[in-house]
Each structure stands twice: as structure tokens, then as C-alpha cells.
């Protein structure tokens, strides 16, 4: 497995490879020095197939252009140092409650081009979150009246959605750019 061969590795890019993911493969477990991981376009369909336990330095994770459909509440529990998370161009239609609560130093989140119908900024604990990209989903309801009190978002892109209800109005003054 990768973790026994690359104990000191900081950057892994295996994008644009069709990987056969198997349960309990532990590909990324205990890669203590891993900072950047690119798994873009690898055919990944579930984050439960990945194990980031011990990857405490991981700050940049690209999971874009895959087949993800659901983000589960414990998918990111071992990525607490993550600053940049790329989830665009998947098929994500559902994010379980508290899925992003472990990401307390997250700065950038990209969920563009998915199938989301609802998004809640209240789920975030990061005091550093600056960029939230939700362009081209199917979002009808946005919520964040409590989340924006603690999350200093500067760019919030929800263009090309189907927004019917947006509970953010009284917090617009905290956002520098809304699309």
C-alpha cells in the first residue's frame, strides 16, 4: 500500500486514473506528512473507501470530477487540518448534517456543478471560511442565519441555481461578493 512506501511524502497526485477502490484499503492512512492529495477524476464513488487517519498535515484535497453522491457526517473526521476542499463536478445530491463540522480551519470549499437542492452554512465551524462555491447546482433553499455570524465568508457563489428561499438577507453586509 502507499502508506508503507511513502511515509515521508507530502504531495500525491493520482488524478485522471481509474482506480479500483476497495473497502479497508487504507491507502492514505498514517501518511503523517501528506499535505496535498489530488484524487480528481479517479472514479471515486464513496468517501467511506478512503481512510485519512493519521494524515494530520493534509491541507489540500481535490475530489473533483468523480462519482460522489453523498457526503456522510464522518467522511472528513480525520481531515481536521484541511484548508482547501474541491468537490466540484460530482453528483452530490445530499450532505448529511455535521459533515463539515470537523473542518475547523477550512478556507475554501468548491461544490460547483453537483446536484444539491439545499445548503446550510450553519453546518460550518470554521472561523476561516472565505470562499464557498455552489454554482450550477439545483439549490432551492439556502440557510445560514446562524452560520454567517461565526463564518467570515467573502465570496459566496450560488449562481445558476433555482433559489426559492434564502435566509441570509440580514447578513449580506458581511459578504464581500455574492454571485
Amino acid at each position: 500500500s502507499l502508506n508503507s512506501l511513502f511515509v515521508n511524502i507530502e504531495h500525491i497526485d493520482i488524478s485522471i486514473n481509474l482506480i479500483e477502490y476497495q473497502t479497508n484499503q487504507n491507502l492514505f492512512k498514517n501518511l503523517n506528512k501528506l499535505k496535498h492529495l489530488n484524487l480528481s477524476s479517479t472514479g471515486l464513488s464513496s468517501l467511506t473507501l478512503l481512510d485519512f487517519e493519521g494524515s494530520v498535515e493534509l491541507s489540500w484535497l481535490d475530489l473533483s470530477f468523480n462519482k460522489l453522491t453523498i457526503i456522510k457526517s464522518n467522511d472528513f473526521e480525520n481531515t481536521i487540518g484541511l484548508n482547501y476542499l474541491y468537490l466540484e463536478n460530482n453528483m452530490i445530491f445530499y450532505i448529511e448534517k455535521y459533515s463539515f463540522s470537523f473542518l475547523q480551519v477550512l478556507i475554501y470549499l468548491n461544490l460547483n456543478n453537483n446536484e444539491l437542492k439545499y445548503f446550510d452554512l450553519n453546518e460550518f465551524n470554521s472561523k476561516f471560511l472565505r470562499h464557498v462555491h455552489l454554482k450550477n447546482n439545483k439549490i432551492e433553499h439556502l440557510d445560514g442565519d446562524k452560520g454567517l455570524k461565526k463564518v467570515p465568508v467573502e465570496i459566496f457563489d450560488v449562481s445558476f441555481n433555482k433559489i426559492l428561499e434564502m435566509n441570509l438577507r440580514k447578513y449580506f453586509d458581511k459578504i464581500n461578493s455574492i454571485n
Side-chain angles (χ1 to χ4, degrees):
S1 75
L2 286 176
N3 51 351
S4 61
L5 295 172
F6 302 115
V7 175
N8 293 316
I9 198 133
E10 292 184 8
H11 303 274
I12 296 176
D13 185 342
I14 52 178
S15 60
I16 314 175
N17 283 285
L18 288 177
I19 298 170
E20 288 189 32
Y21 293 93
Q22 299 169 2
T23 310
N24 300 323
Q25 204 167 359
N26 299 332
L27 284 174
F28 308 105
K29 187 174 183 178
N30 294 322
L31 293 178
N32 300 359
K33 296 184 180 177
L34 183 62
K35 294 179 182 176
H36 295 92
L37 178 59
N38 189 345
L39 295 174
S40 177
S41 301
T42 58
L44 181 66
S45 60
S46 172
L47 294 178
T48 57
L49 300 174
L50 302 176
D51 186 353
F52 295 109
E53 184 181 334
S55 299
V56 293
E57 295 292 320
L58 187 63
S59 63
W60 189 93
L61 179 60
D62 189 343
L63 299 168
S64 62
F65 294 93
N66 279 296
K67 299 174 183 174
L68 299 172
T69 56
I70 296 174
I71 303 296
K72 295 188 176 174
S73 61
N74 62 346
D75 282 343
F76 297 111
E77 70 182 341
N78 291 315
T79 59
I80 59 171
L82 213 53
N83 297 130
Y84 298 88
L85 179 56
Y86 299 85
L87 292 164
E88 72 269 20
N89 294 294
N90 277 281
M91 297 176 277
I92 300 168
F93 67 90
Y94 184 69
I95 298 173
E96 284 184 5
K97 195 170 180 86
Y98 307 117
S99 292
F100 299 113
S101 63
F102 295 102
L103 305 178
Q104 297 189 7
V105 292
L106 190 66
I107 297 169
Y108 181 95
L109 174 65
N110 190 332
L111 280 159
N112 288 342
N113 303 309
N114 278 288
E115 303 292 322
L116 291 171
K117 289 186 176 183
Y118 175 79
F119 189 79
D120 189 354
L121 264 172
N122 295 323
E123 296 293 320
F124 292 90
N125 289 327
S126 176
K127 295 180 178 135
F128 304 98
L129 189 60
R130 301 291 187 265
H131 299 257
V132 178
H133 299 271
L134 297 163
K135 182 176 18 180
N136 200 26
N137 276 276
K138 297 177 179 176
I139 296 174
E140 296 175 354
H141 303 281
L142 278 171
D143 205 353
D145 59 341
K146 297 177 193 126
L148 284 176
K149 289 179 186 175
K150 59 184 178 183
V151 179
V153 174
E154 294 174 356
I155 297 174
F156 189 65
D157 186 352
V158 289
S159 58
F160 300 99
N161 277 283
K162 300 176 180 183
I163 297 173
L164 302 171
E165 182 181 358
M166 193 158 79
N167 296 325
L168 302 171
R169 190 168 298 136
K170 61 184 173 182
Y171 299 100
F172 280 168
D173 61 322
K174 294 184 180 187
I175 298 174
N176 290 343
S177 174
I178 296 177
N179 267 345

